[in-house]
Amino acid sequence: MIFDSHSHTVFSADSEMRAEDAMQKARERGTGIVFTEHLDLDYPGDLDFTFDPQAYWRTYEPLRGETVRLGVEIGMWEQTRERSAAFVREVPFDLVIGAIHLLDGEDIYYPDFYAGKQKNEVYHRYYEQMAANLRRHDFVDVLAHIDYIARYAPYANPEIAYGDFREDIDAVLQAVLETDTVLELNTRRLDSRRALKELVPVYQRYRELGGRYVTLGSDAHTAEAVACHFAAARELTEELGLKIVTFCNRQMESC
């Protein structure tokens, strides 16, 4: 069974999705699902991107089984690394995702972050911190949404453009391989032809460098988004010769 290995329910500060609704939508779409709630310690804004792992486990462990797994999405930041590692040890998560949501302590979701900054400067820093923090966070199983910044950057062309950032992206891919991390194929933007065009060379390069495995993740915050654009993702992975996997008890398993 294919799993949507990246989703957020009410335990994430920015989601109101109920677990039952997410599970129902996954069943309708013929997939399993992994809940991966947000943990961004020392988040600079008003939202509290933390949750109680014990309460999470008590609430969702009865749902856990062949089609439902429980995980966490760690916001990777050097200053929070030790506390994030301790959090992961609190309960027996199935999957730990690592992500970059902040650059130098600022949230890249907000347009104000980009004011007065050139795209090449910001994207270089984004990839640089992604590669460095992936090496520091040796407890991460999967690197999430390599193209996350392209969702929100207010540039005329926000795409990640492998041709423009070849060295930076290669450094991230090398870090993925050297740390035995799996690269996520985030499906949120696969309905965009421009996004797909720019993502293909990244995953081609991953395959050329020796990458073999990907998880699929919708990053759903609503039930309707669960397993979104999975047909396009499966077609892409087949074309590139990549295998779709997920995790159970922190062990990779084939889908």
Side-chain angles (χ1 to χ4, degrees):
M1 173 178 286
I2 300 294
F3 271 74
D4 183 343
S5 296
H6 185 164
S7 67
H8 300 279
T9 74
V10 293
F11 276 90
S12 291
D14 59 352
S15 176
E16 296 182 359
M17 181 168 69
R18 299 190 316 140
E20 294 79 4
D21 295 337
M23 293 163 58
Q24 176 61 32
K25 184 58 67 174
R27 284 193 294 270
E28 291 173 9
R29 294 184 170 166
T31 71
I33 191 164
V34 187
F35 300 139
T36 53
E37 311 300 351
H38 280 300
L39 180 73
D40 267 276
L41 296 170
D42 295 351
Y43 179 73
D46 295 331
L47 292 177
D48 179 11
F49 280 106
T50 63
F51 62 97
D52 180 342
Q54 301 292 342
Y56 172 67
W57 202 258
R58 286 194 303 272
T59 303
Y60 286 170
E61 197 277 335
L63 307 176
R64 183 169 172 258
E66 289 299 312
T67 61
V68 178
R69 310 280 168 74
L70 305 181
V72 59
E73 180 184 8
I74 299 289
M76 297 186 296
W77 191 5
E78 182 177 9
Q79 75 179 45
T80 61
R81 188 261 180 213
E82 294 302 324
R83 283 175 287 151
S84 294
F87 185 96
V88 167
R89 293 192 294 269
E90 284 279 321
V91 294
F93 290 108
D94 288 303
L95 171 61
V96 177
I97 296 176
I100 295 293
H101 301 124
L102 307 176
L103 281 184
D104 301 316
E106 296 184 71
D107 192 341
I108 62 177
Y109 173 86
Y110 294 105
D112 287 352
F113 167 77
Y114 302 89
K117 299 184 179 79
Q118 296 297 312
K119 177 182 175 179
N120 61 343
E121 163 198 351
V122 172
Y123 280 43
H124 169 71
R125 188 70 178 135
Y126 171 71
Y127 292 124
E128 183 178 56
Q129 291 198 11
M130 184 178 288
N133 277 298
L134 187 58
R135 294 182 189 282
R136 294 183 184 113
H137 290 69
D138 56 359
F139 54 90
V140 162
D141 303 310
V142 171
L143 176 64
H145 41 52
I146 195 170
D147 60 328
Y148 177 80
I149 197 167
R151 294 185 194 172
Y152 307 115
Y155 301 113
N157 177 8
E159 290 304 330
I160 60 176
Y162 178 72
D164 294 338
F165 299 100
R166 181 183 303 269
E167 291 184 6
D168 289 324
I169 293 174
D170 277 1
V172 172
L173 298 179
Q174 289 286 4
V176 167
L177 295 169
E178 290 171 15
T179 57
D180 290 324
T181 307
V182 172
L183 186 62
E184 176 186 274
L185 175 56
N186 194 277
T187 66
R188 176 181 285 200
R189 302 191 313 122
L190 293 189
D191 61 336
S192 164
R193 293 180 66 181
R194 184 168 71 169
L196 189 57
K197 177 184 175 184
E198 297 296 352
L199 280 170
V200 167
V202 173
Y203 287 86
Q204 283 178 328
R205 183 59 173 156
Y206 175 58
R207 183 67 172 80
E208 289 171 2
L209 292 171
R212 296 293 181 268
Y213 306 107
V214 292
T215 58
L216 301 188
S218 67
D219 204 355
H221 289 64
T222 64
E224 191 54 39
V226 168
C228 66
H229 315 309
F230 267 34
R234 294 179 70 173
E235 183 178 341
L236 177 58
T237 57
E238 287 174 10
E239 289 177 359
L240 296 179
L242 295 168
K243 296 179 181 180
I244 301 170
V245 299
T246 191
F247 282 76
C248 183
N249 295 316
R250 306 295 304 280
Q251 298 298 311
M252 186 175 73
E253 58 179 38
S254 255
C255 289

